[in-house]
């Protein structure tokens, strides 16, 4: 029963937190007023005004999300002082240096997460609030500095891990553990690898690290933004709320299949094709495929001009090709060098023939005029352009790769394996995306497309200027002093900024649409699945090599994925990356983890499984069913879980109705999981055991297994229940 003293202190804390919310509301009203004024403002240039509006808009967003659990608790020092820790920092209105609430990322707040009974960090007590909306329901105290009392209390943590799962990942800002906090605040400017088994919180730690970096390096980080790469769209939806809940929005979320703007690819490849495309050796194939399209004519090609007929022979084309290749330009840009050499040879030959017997080198003016006439004629000559298109065509990444895949001859010419052939060359798969990205650099811009975009941009600017002229001319005819003229609302410089220079989209939207955008920081989740070519794309996106890499080598399924972190990173940051491991499993209860650990020992005997922070008291079970009985057994599980709070999923091998594959659940968690046909999952390719390991470790409370054949020997610790069920029967 709560004591009178506890109730009195609870009332005091409620009053203080209520004051914090009053201060929050006042600050939000102040910033919103500034935001509204900035929208109406006319001081400074259009660029300065838009920057001010964006900055104030983000401040409003940060203040809005603080409504959700504003304060987590308080720290009491040995000297009797105390400070409150929360989602954002709030200061006394009369004294901006007096914090009413410390931002959880501030250095002074660190002890709230790392202090223990044995290492109290000069703190006497940690108080954690239990809140509902804006109201403190209760609090728990932990007295520090008493080694005999053990490590940090875990009431708040256990409440969080036992809570039913919702539709998305929750932030852990109120319950960050010491090993997690050390990683979040790690002062390492380059590549950081966070490795941990299932349920160790590596993903959410990485996201909180992004929030911490945005807090400590806001100006630099917000200018370029952050890229977060996840394994699939469902995973990105799952984590999408975490950073906004911490007030951070300058983040682009994407998958490996979306790294080229305009593409959303989810289809996979055969293991052999994926391995070939994921290796850096494919770069030689791509270069050879481009070179194969830079052709020489088998026979001389005749070009009929108005006054003379000339020919392009193999020798001329070869000279032009060598000069173009030697220019170092991308293929499409090097075409101009190729064209110039061919044009030079043809005009010189034409001049020699046309001017024979009457034109000498001393007739410079006539000579130059004849050359200009020939150049103009060749530039407009359809047959000449057609020959150039045949010998040195303008290429796009998609066209080149599709034509390569669908042609046995072109594959052989490029030295490629026949495993890359497919009838529909443009049926893109995820491993194709880094190849298409590489070809952007190999080929260079598509000049005709760029010229069309430039014409459209100029047309928009001319239209805007015309609209302004019309509005101004009409104002000259008005004499109503109270009329709000167009010039009061719109300036010519604003139009120029908007149509010619300024891009008013939010940073995340602009970055996602721009293949050449470079990010300040990149987070890569399930990084063990990425190929060497994937890493080449990502390193190109972040020249500063600032990465947080999250993964678990034991869960690798892709044949093109990482076998070691050093092998994958050595070409880019040799010996210059930091490694941190997470060892505590906050998701999977001990009963389920023991089953998964037995499987892990079979296929990765050198890997230590994470230690579960809790047991749930529910034993995982298995049941053998026949093929006819399987649908009814799945329906029974779904029906049972529909009546419970939380989430559930049925995981099976590809093609089983009513199931998803383990790959589709990577990074996700559910209260209950049913695994179907584990023997078939194990048999599905070289990484089937890793796939089954992923499936077994998605559950936070309950795990069941339906098997048709004998239960795989690796799945020990399951309680076999009943006999094979008949359709419609209950367990």
């Amino acid at each position: 029963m709560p004591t009178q003293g506890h109730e009195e202190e609870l009332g005091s804390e409620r009053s203080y937190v209520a004051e914090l919310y009053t201060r929050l509301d006042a600050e939000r009203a102040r910033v919103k007023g500034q935001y509204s004024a900035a929208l109406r403002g006319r001081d400074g240039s259009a660029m300065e005004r838009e920057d001010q509006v964006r900055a104030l808009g983000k401040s409003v967003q940060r203040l809005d999300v603080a409504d959700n659990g504003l304060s987590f608790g308080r720290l009491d020092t040995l000297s009797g002082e105390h400070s409150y820790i929360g989602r954002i920092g709030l200061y006394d209105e009369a004294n901006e240096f007096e914090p009413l609430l410390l931002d959880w990322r501030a250095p002074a707040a660190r002890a709230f997460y790392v202090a223990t009974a044995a290492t109290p960090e000069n703190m006497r007590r940690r108080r954690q609030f239990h809140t509902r909306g804006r109201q403190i329901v209760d609090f728990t105290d932990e007295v520090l500095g008493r080694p005999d009392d053990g490590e940090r209390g875990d009431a708040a943590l256990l409440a969080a891990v036992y809570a039913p799962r919702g539709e998305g990942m929750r932030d852990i800002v109120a319950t960050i553990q010491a090993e997690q906090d050390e990683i979040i605040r790690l002062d390492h400017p380059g590549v950081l690898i966070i490795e941990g088994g299932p349920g160790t919180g590596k993903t959410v730690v990485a996201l909180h690290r992004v929030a911490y970096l945005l807090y400590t390096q806001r100006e630099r980080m917000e200018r370029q933004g952050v890229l977060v790469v996840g394994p699939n769209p469902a995973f990105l939806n799952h984590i999408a709320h975490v950073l906004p809940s911490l007030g951070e929005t300058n983040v682009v979320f994407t998958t490996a299949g979306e790294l080229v703007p305009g593409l959303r690819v989810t289809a996979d490849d055969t293991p052999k094709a994926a391995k070939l495309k994921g290796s850096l050796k494919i770069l030689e194939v791509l270069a050879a495929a481009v070179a194969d399209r830079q052709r020489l004519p088998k026979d001389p090609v005749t070009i009929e001009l108005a006054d003379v007929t000339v020919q392009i022979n193999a020798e001329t084309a070869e000279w032009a090709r060598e000069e173009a290749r030697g220019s170092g330009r991308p293929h499409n840009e090097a075409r101009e060098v190729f064209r110039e050499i061919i044009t030079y040879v043809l005009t010189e030959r034409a001049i020699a023939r046309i001017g024979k017997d009457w034109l000498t080198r001393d007739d410079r003016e006539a000579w130059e005029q004849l050359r200009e006439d020939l150049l103009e004629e060749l530039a407009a000559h359809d047959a000449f352009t057609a020959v150039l298109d045949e010998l040195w065509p303008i290429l796009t990444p998609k066209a080149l790769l599709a034509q390569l895949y669908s042609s046995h001859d072109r594959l052989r010419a490029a030295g490629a394996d026949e495993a890359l052939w497919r009838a529909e060359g443009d049926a893109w798969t995820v491993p194709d995306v880094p190849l298409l990205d590489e070809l952007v650099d190999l080929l260079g811009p598509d000049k005709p497309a760029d010229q069309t975009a430039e014409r459209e941009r100029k047309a928009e600017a001319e239209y805007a200027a015309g609209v302004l002229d019309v509005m101004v001319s009409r104002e000259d005819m008005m004499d109503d002093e109270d009329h709000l003229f167009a010039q009061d609302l719109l300036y010519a410089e604003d139009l120029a900024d908007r149509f010619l220079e300024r891009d008013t989209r939010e940073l995340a939207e602009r970055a996602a649409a721009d293949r050449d955008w470079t990010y300040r920081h990149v987070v890569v989740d399930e990084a063990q699945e990425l190929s060497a070519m994937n890493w080449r794309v990502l390193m190109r996106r972040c020249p500063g090599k600032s990465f947080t890499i999250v993964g678990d080598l034991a869960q690798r399924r892709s044949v093109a994925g990482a076998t070691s972190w050093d092998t994958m990173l050595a070409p880019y940051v040799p010996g210059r990356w930091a490694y941190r491991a997470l060892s505590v499993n906050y998701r999977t209860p001990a009963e389920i983890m023991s089953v998964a650990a037995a499987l892990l020992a079979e296929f990765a005997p050198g890997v230590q499984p994470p230690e579960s922070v809790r047991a749930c008291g529910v034993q995982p079970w298995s049941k053998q069913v026949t093929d006819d009985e399987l649908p009814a057994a799945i329906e029974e599980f779904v029906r049972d879980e529909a009546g419970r709070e939380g989430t559930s999923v049925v995981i099976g091998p590809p093609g089983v109705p009513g199931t998803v594959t383990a790959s589709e659940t990577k990074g996700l968690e559910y209260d209950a999981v049913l695994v179907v046909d584990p023997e078939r999952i194990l048999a599905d390719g070289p990484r089937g055991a890793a796939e089954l390991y992923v499936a077994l470790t998605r559950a936070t409370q309950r795990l069941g297994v339906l098997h048709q054949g004998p239960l795989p020997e690796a799945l020990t610790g399951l309680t076999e229940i009943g006999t094979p069920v008949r359709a419609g029967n209950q367990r």
Side-chain angles (χ1 to χ4, degrees), residues 58 62 103-105 184 206-228 243-244 246-252 507 520-521 523:
K58 292 186 182 303
R62 294 189 185 101
D103 190 299
W104 67 274
R105 295 165 287 191
I184 290 170
L207 295 175
H208 282 66
R209 176 168 170 77
V210 169
Y212 176 77
L213 293 173
L214 283 164
Y215 174 79
T216 57
Q217 307 173 30
R218 186 163 303 282
E219 184 176 349
R220 287 186 294 171
M221 293 282 285
E222 284 197 335
R223 192 179 305 123
Q224 293 174 268
V226 175
L227 176 67
V228 176
L243 283 169
L246 299 172
E248 307 300 348
T249 57
N250 281 352
V251 181
V252 173
L507 180 142
R520 182 70 186 180
H521 191 77
V523 176

Side-chain angles (χ1 to χ4, degrees), residues 509-522:
E509 187 180 0
R510 286 182 284 136
D514 186 355
R515 183 259 176 188
D516 294 321
W517 189 278
T518 57
Y519 295 88
R520 182 70 186 180
H521 191 77
V522 176

Side-chain angles (χ1 to χ4, degrees), residues 160-207:
V161 297
Y162 274 113
R165 269 33 183 187
E167 293 302 316
M169 178 180 284
R170 297 166 294 186
D171 67 62
I172 60 169
V173 66
T175 58
I176 294 171
Q177 301 299 289
E179 70 168 356
Q180 298 172 329
D181 187 80
E182 187 269 335
I183 295 172
I184 290 170
R185 298 175 192 266
L186 185 65
D187 184 16
H188 181 74
V191 175
L192 170 65
I193 293 174
I194 306 174
E195 185 163 25
T200 53
K202 51 189 180 292
T203 295
V204 74
V205 167
L207 295 175

Side-chain angles (χ1 to χ4, degrees), residues 343-363:
T343 300
Y344 169 77
V345 172
L346 294 186
T347 54
E348 290 301 310
R349 288 176 180 171
I351 289 172
R353 294 178 186 177
I354 294 172
K356 186 178 181 181
D357 299 331
W358 66 271
L359 184 63
T360 67
R361 290 287 178 181
D362 294 334
D363 299 327

Side-chain angles (χ1 to χ4, degrees), residues 18 114 129 132 151 191 194 212 376 521 593 626 646 724:
V114 302
F129 296 151
R132 184 180 300 117
E151 291 298 304
V191 175
I194 306 174
Y212 176 77
E376 288 182 6
H521 191 77
M593 197 60 217
T626 66

Side-chain angles (χ1 to χ4, degrees), residues 577-644:
W577 48 274
Y579 177 89
R580 294 293 185 274
L582 292 170
S583 57
V584 178
N585 188 332
Y586 301 100
R587 174 204 300 150
T588 317
E591 295 89 343
I592 296 175
M593 197 60 217
S594 66
V595 176
L599 174 64
L600 181 67
E602 289 283 330
F603 76 93
V607 178
Q608 184 70 23
E611 182 179 355
S612 296
V613 76
R614 66 187 171 100
C616 67
V618 179
Q619 191 66 23
W621 56 268
S622 61
K623 176 182 282 188
Q624 187 171 13
V625 295
T626 66
D627 184 55
D628 291 339
E629 295 162 342
L630 181 61
I634 293 175
E635 289 177 10
E636 182 181 357
F637 169 83
V638 173
R639 186 169 56 252
D640 285 350
E641 290 300 329
R644 300 174 184 259

